[in-house]
Amino acid sequence: MSAHGSSVPAAASVAVHPRASAIRIGLLLVLLALALAAPFYVYPIFVMKLLCFALFASAFNLLLGYTGLLSFGHAAFFGGSAYFTAHAAKVWGFSPELAILTGVAGAALLGLVMGAIAIRRQGIYFAMITLALSQMFFFYCLQAPFTHGEDGIQSVPRGHLFGVIDLNQPLNMYYFVLAVFLIGMAIIWRFVHSPFGMILKSIRENENRAISLGYSTAGYKLGAFVMSAALSGLAGGLKALVFQFATLTDVAWQMSGEVILMTLLGGIGTFLGPVFGAGLVVTLQNYLATSDFPVTIVTGLVFMVCVLLFRRGIIGEFYASRIGRSLGFKAEN
C-alpha cells in the first residue's frame, strides 16, 4: 500500500534499466545481423518460408492483438494473394514487384469486401462469418479456371527485380524476401504506434467508451481489417515467388488455424511474438516432416505446454518477467 492507501501495481516495482532503449536496439541489431548471415549457414528456402509466415502472423496479430478481432478467414488473403501474384507473374508476365503489388491489391480488396460484411457482428459471430466467407473463397479457387483447381499454378517465374536483379539466384531472392519482411514489419510498427493504432487499442479495451468519445468504430475496425489483409497478402505473394507455385493449401481453413497458432504461441499483442511463434511452428514442420513423429500431434503438444506454462505466449511471458519489464518491454494486451 502507498502512503495514500492505494495499491501499487506489481509491474511498477521493477525499475526500468537506465540503458533499456540502447539494449533493445542492440537486441534488434543482433537479430538483424543473424538474419543477414542466415543464408550462409541455413538452407535459404527454409529461412524464406519462415520470414513469409512470420510476416503473415504479424499481420494477423495486427487484427487480433491490437484490435481484438479474431478472424478465422485470413487464409483467403494469404492464399488469394498467392494466386493473384502467381497468375500475374506467369500469365500476364508482370515483373516480381508488380506481381506482388497485384497480389496485395487483390488481398486488400478481398479484405474490404469480407470486412464490410464481418464487422457488423462481434465475438464468435465475427469469427464464424470470416470462416464462412473464407470457405466460400476456397471453393471459388477450387472451381475458377485461372487457379487450375487442385493442380494449382506451378512453375511461377521469379523474374528480375526492377528488370536488373535476377531473383533466380538464391541469395538475391533471400535478401529480397528479407527486405520485404523488414518493410512489412516497419509498416506494422508505424501503424500500431500511430494515432490510428491508439484508437484501435481503445476499441479493443472498451468499444462502447470509444463510441461515446465520438469515434466511428466500424470504420476503424474495417481499416484495421483491410490493412491486416493487405499485409497478409504481401506474405502470400512472397511465398508464391519463393516456392514458385500457389495451391489450394494456401487458402484452406487449416492455414487460418496455423496463423492463429503461431500468434498464440508467440504472444498476442507483442511485436516479436508472432515472429517467434511462426519460427517455432515452421521449424517443427520442417524438421519433423522427414521423421516418424506426426507433425500435427507434436505441434498440438507444444501448444498445450505453452497454454499451460506460458499463458501470455512465450514472448509475452518474457515481456511480463522482471527482465522484460526492466528492459521496458510490454505487451499491448
Side-chain angles (χ1 to χ4, degrees):
M1 301 290 287
S2 67
H4 298 285
S6 59
S7 59
V8 179
S13 63
V14 178
V16 177
H17 193 281
R19 301 185 64 183
S21 297
I23 294 174
R24 292 200 303 270
I25 293 174
L27 289 174
L28 289 176
L29 290 176
V30 169
L31 292 175
L32 178 59
L34 290 175
L36 291 172
F40 299 102
Y41 301 97
V42 186
Y43 186 44
I45 295 293
F46 166 72
V47 187
M48 285 189 277
K49 179 182 178 181
L50 192 155
L51 291 174
C52 291
F53 278 98
L55 180 57
F56 183 27
S58 297
F60 176 78
N61 185 54
L62 179 63
L63 189 66
L64 176 61
Y66 298 102
T67 315
L69 298 176
L70 174 60
S71 168
F72 284 159
H74 259 52
F77 315 128
F78 181 81
S81 177
Y83 274 122
F84 300 148
T85 300
H87 184 78
K90 183 176 182 179
V91 180
W92 294 343
F94 282 12
S95 61
E97 67 275 11
L98 290 180
I100 289 178
L101 288 176
T102 301
V104 171
L109 181 60
L110 274 175
L112 180 63
V113 174
M114 290 177 60
I117 298 172
I119 63 169
R120 300 173 185 271
R121 296 293 181 265
Q122 297 179 347
I124 190 62
Y125 303 104
F126 171 87
M128 290 297 101
I129 290 174
T130 57
L131 176 60
L133 293 173
S134 178
Q135 285 300 98
M136 289 174 60
F137 184 73
F138 171 84
F139 286 110
Y140 167 76
C141 291
L142 181 62
Q143 301 292 333
F146 85 96
T147 64
H148 302 284
E150 296 181 353
D151 293 332
I153 303 177
Q154 303 179 25
S155 302
V156 178
R158 290 179 177 174
H160 289 70
L161 183 65
F162 304 119
V164 177
I165 303 174
D166 184 7
L167 295 185
N168 291 302
Q169 299 297 322
L171 280 181
N172 291 346
M173 187 65 196
Y174 173 80
Y175 287 116
F176 170 62
V177 172
L178 178 61
V180 174
F181 168 77
L182 293 175
I183 291 171
M185 295 298 291
I187 291 173
I188 292 173
W189 187 91
R190 185 66 189 93
F191 189 81
V192 168
H193 293 86
S194 68
F196 191 96
M198 298 301 174
I199 295 172
L200 292 180
K201 295 172 192 175
S202 69
I203 293 173
R204 179 197 63 195
E205 296 299 328
N206 194 322
E207 185 172 353
N208 290 331
R209 180 173 294 179
I211 293 174
S212 69
L213 293 174
Y215 293 111
S216 175
T217 59
Y220 283 97
K221 289 193 292 185
L222 180 59
F225 196 96
V226 173
M227 176 62 74
S228 179
L231 289 168
S232 298
L234 181 61
L238 272 181
K239 180 179 178 290
L241 289 184
V242 168
F243 290 96
Q244 297 184 275
F245 62 78
T247 67
L248 290 172
T249 304
D250 299 327
V251 292
W253 65 267
Q254 290 92 340
M255 186 63 71
S256 296
E258 281 189 17
V259 75
I260 294 173
L261 178 64
M262 294 171 184
T263 306
L264 291 176
L265 287 177
I268 299 172
T270 62
F271 185 69
L272 293 178
V275 176
F276 186 88
L280 180 60
V281 172
V282 171
T283 301
L284 285 174
Q285 291 175 343
N286 184 71
Y287 288 101
L288 292 177
T290 56
S291 70
D292 295 330
F293 294 100
V295 177
T296 53
I297 292 178
V298 175
T299 305
L301 291 174
V302 171
F303 177 67
M304 288 175 58
V305 171
C306 289
V307 167
L308 292 174
L309 301 180
F310 307 101
R311 300 297 296 274
R312 300 181 181 90
I314 297 174
I315 300 298
E317 289 293 341
F318 171 72
Y319 280 10
S321 68
R322 293 182 65 87
I323 297 176
R325 283 180 282 156
S326 68
L327 294 178
F329 288 111
K330 65 176 182 177
E332 299 292 346
N333 58 346

